[in-house]
Amino acid sequence: MTKVNKWTLGLAAVGLVSLPAAVQAQSTTEKPNQLLTALSSTTISGYVDTSVHWNPGSGNANPAAISFNGPNKQDGFNLNVVNVVLEKPLDESTWSAGYKADLIYGPNAVGFNNSVGSAASDLSIKQAYVALRAPVGNGLDLKLGTWDTIIGYEVFNAGSNPNYTRSWGYTIEPTQHTGLLASYQVNKVVGLSAGVANTWNSGVNTRAAGSESQKTWMGAVTLTAPDSMGFLAGSALYLGIVDGQNTLVGNDATSFYAGATLATPIKGVKLGASFDYAETDDNGAGTVASASSYAAALYASISATEKLSFHFRGEYAKFNSAYATGGILNTGVGSVGGIPEEVLSFTGTIQYDLWANVLSRLEVRWDHAADGRPFGGSVSGTGIPGGADENDAVIVAANLIYKF
């Protein structure tokens, strides 16, 4: 009898190696191995995200939307992040169960949803949760662990966004939560989600200060146009709210989000829009004042051929407390000195998928300080250090992502 160790059987279960025909025949007559049975339903996926940045001009302090695209990446070649996902998705059974372990490595992972005491690590757990389905109505889906926030037009994974660089709206949103999330699809048109988490901001197992009952609450509704609406079929409207304590600066934060995608009668053309509004309360210690900020964006995507597409984004953002302690909006998100209070931004992206499994893009982005306060510059009487003192910030970027 041919002997095969359990590690080899496990690799074969996920399709990484092949077993000899004789061994395959034996496996049908022998008692199933518990390890083999468990791994056979697990999928492995992910991506490698790389880029090249050019910031025209010298000493450019271009934040170009702060997150992931700051000065440490300008004028050079970059490894952005490596993503590996192990997942057993929910199936169609009544009492379905699964899990997801979404791991990220590299510069974009530094400080992103890290557990307490590991903010400097370039390894992070983006998501990790147990998924359950209960037989309530059409099926109630539950996630317990750490998971992506329920609001926002754009996400962490660059390849899932229409553009490479992130929007200003993304910078004032929460990103991850640790808690319990429930989702329910009422019908083909209406979808609901609600959750409770430890904090408004990310951080695995981070706790809110004060009362043990201090938690973050959230809810969202999605409306999808049915097939009976003709060319509008598949268009969607999304509304959401997240309210809770931001432990980065110790005050309460509330985020409101509205987003929409719109199908058009023109083949290959899709439009989108998003609006983010966020506010924070005085933390009571006199170190963080009340503030509010908002960002509005319009999107357009055109698929010219099966491989070639064009993506555009125009955005206006106003940060009422851009220079305050803790970063934009006092949230601590993308804290960078010298951000104008008003920004106009335009982004154009060409995507051409020449290689199999590779997303390849060329992008040009222009940000303009609409209030006259320069990017990276000093502001009289604020104590903010000087920098590039530029009212316009430009970034030219090439982005290659291999998905597996």
Side-chain angles (χ1 to χ4, degrees):
M1 177 180 293
T2 304
K3 297 291 185 180
V4 180
N5 63 46
K6 292 183 178 181
W7 177 246
T8 302
L9 287 174
L11 293 177
V14 294
L16 296 182
V17 300
S18 299
L19 295 179
V23 176
Q24 295 181 28
Q26 293 170 13
S27 66
T28 61
T29 58
E30 297 177 356
K31 184 178 179 179
N33 181 280
Q34 290 183 351
L35 177 63
L36 178 63
T37 302
L39 287 177
S40 62
S41 57
T42 291
T43 62
I44 300 178
S45 62
Y47 61 84
V48 178
D49 183 354
T50 63
S51 66
V52 183
H53 288 200
W54 175 44
N55 300 77
S58 60
N60 192 341
N62 181 359
I66 305 175
S67 302
F68 318 130
N69 304 299
N72 63 317
K73 289 188 177 180
Q74 71 179 41
D75 300 327
F77 305 94
N78 304 299
L79 167 65
N80 296 325
V81 70
V82 178
N83 172 245
V84 177
V85 179
L86 303 176
E87 182 178 16
K88 192 275 182 183
L90 294 175
D91 55 37
E92 297 302 319
S93 61
T94 302
W95 293 96
S96 180
Y99 76 93
K100 187 170 190 175
D102 190 347
L103 311 176
I104 52 176
Y105 312 82
N108 286 6
V110 176
F112 189 89
N113 199 37
N114 292 102
S115 55
V116 177
S118 61
S121 173
D122 61 356
L123 164 64
S124 185
I125 299 174
K126 181 175 174 291
Q127 296 187 91
Y129 57 80
V130 173
L132 303 170
R133 176 172 295 137
V136 177
N138 297 325
L140 181 66
D141 292 348
L142 304 171
K143 294 179 182 178
L144 180 60
T146 186
W147 27 267
D148 291 338
T149 190
I150 63 174
I151 64 172
Y153 196 96
E154 299 182 15
V155 296
F156 173 91
N157 297 336
S160 299
N161 296 325
N163 306 100
Y164 164 59
T165 58
R166 310 315 192 280
S167 67
W168 287 102
Y170 179 86
T171 68
I172 62 174
E173 298 166 351
T175 55
Q176 323 295 126
H177 304 284
T178 301
L180 176 65
L181 179 67
S183 301
Y184 184 77
Q185 194 66 34
V186 179
N187 50 42
K188 292 182 178 181
V189 175
V190 181
L192 305 173
S193 60
V196 57
N198 292 327
T199 57
W200 175 94
N201 53 292
S202 62
V204 179
N205 292 355
T206 300
R207 293 292 191 271
S211 171
E212 62 183 24
S213 62
Q214 176 72 38
K215 293 292 184 288
T216 292
W217 302 89
M218 64 197 74
V221 57
T222 304
L223 304 175
T224 305
D227 295 339
S228 59
M229 294 189 68
F231 73 85
L232 289 174
S235 299
L237 173 65
Y238 192 99
L239 304 171
I241 181 173
V242 179
D243 178 77
Q245 187 181 110
N246 172 17
T247 61
L248 294 175
V249 287
N251 59 339
D252 188 73
T254 306
S255 294
F256 301 91
Y257 171 75
T261 57
L262 180 68
T264 70
I266 304 174
K267 183 179 180 181
V269 177
K270 178 176 287 189
L271 304 177
S274 67
F275 180 79
D276 284 278
Y277 176 85
E279 61 183 21
T280 57
D281 296 333
D282 188 329
N283 68 349
T287 57
V288 178
S290 299
S292 63
S293 297
Y294 64 87
L298 296 175
Y299 298 82
S301 294
I302 304 171
S303 296
T305 67
E306 183 178 348
K307 293 185 177 182
L308 176 64
S309 59
F310 302 89
H311 306 272
F312 304 94
R313 178 181 62 212
E315 188 175 21
Y316 171 79
K318 183 175 179 61
F319 307 111
N320 292 343
S321 189
Y323 294 99
T325 302
I328 290 178
L329 214 196
N330 292 326
T331 62
V333 176
S335 180
V336 176
I339 303 301
E341 288 194 0
E342 293 183 67
V343 180
L344 283 173
S345 179
F346 297 93
T347 305
T349 308
I350 301 174
Q351 180 174 323
Y352 190 80
D353 300 328
L354 178 61
W355 297 275
N357 302 325
V358 176
L359 185 155
S360 49
R361 300 188 282 198
L362 180 64
E363 180 166 303
V364 178
R365 173 179 179 144
W366 171 61
D367 291 277
H368 174 68
D371 64 341
R373 299 192 181 196
F375 289 101
S378 59
V379 179
S380 177
T382 65
I384 300 298
D389 291 334
E390 296 178 351
N391 287 327
D392 297 285
V394 177
I395 179 173
V396 180
N399 179 218
L400 291 177
I401 302 176
Y402 186 94
K403 298 181 179 181
F404 57 87

